[in-house]
Amino acid sequence: MKIKKGDKIRVLTGKERNKDGVVVSVQPTKGRLIVEGINLTKRHRKPQRKGEKGQIVEVNAPINVSNVALLCPKCAKATRVGYVVNDSAKKERKCKKCNAIIS
């Protein structure tokens, strides 16, 4: 998976289209991401202790990785990700639009 935790992304499709967010967690086996502030759903929680009230909590639901694009930190555009091998045989991600290395 070319998108990692902490990356800034832009949503390409769906009700949250053109919104930006930061990746909170990655589920590579399912091909999904959880993005901060994107795809919020409401969960009804029961009271946990006696005398406590139940509540409605907003939770970030996962979004498919094919519906997002990485935002390049240099050119600030939604871009595809390529790879380049540097001198020390380490594979690094690069922006396909401006060829900047993405850490």
Side-chain angles (χ1 to χ4, degrees), residues 79-84 92-96 99-102:
T79 183
R80 293 175 294 135
V81 179
Y83 287 102
V84 64
E92 293 180 326
R93 298 182 298 166
K94 73 169 190 162
C95 172
K96 287 271 192 167
N99 289 325
I101 299 295
I102 301 168

Side-chain angles (χ1 to χ4, degrees), residues 44-58:
H44 296 260
R45 298 210 40 198
K46 284 187 186 179
Q48 298 299 314
R49 296 182 195 96
K50 194 173 185 178
E52 193 177 87
K53 287 188 174 182
Q55 49 187 315
I56 301 171
V57 181
E58 284 192 339

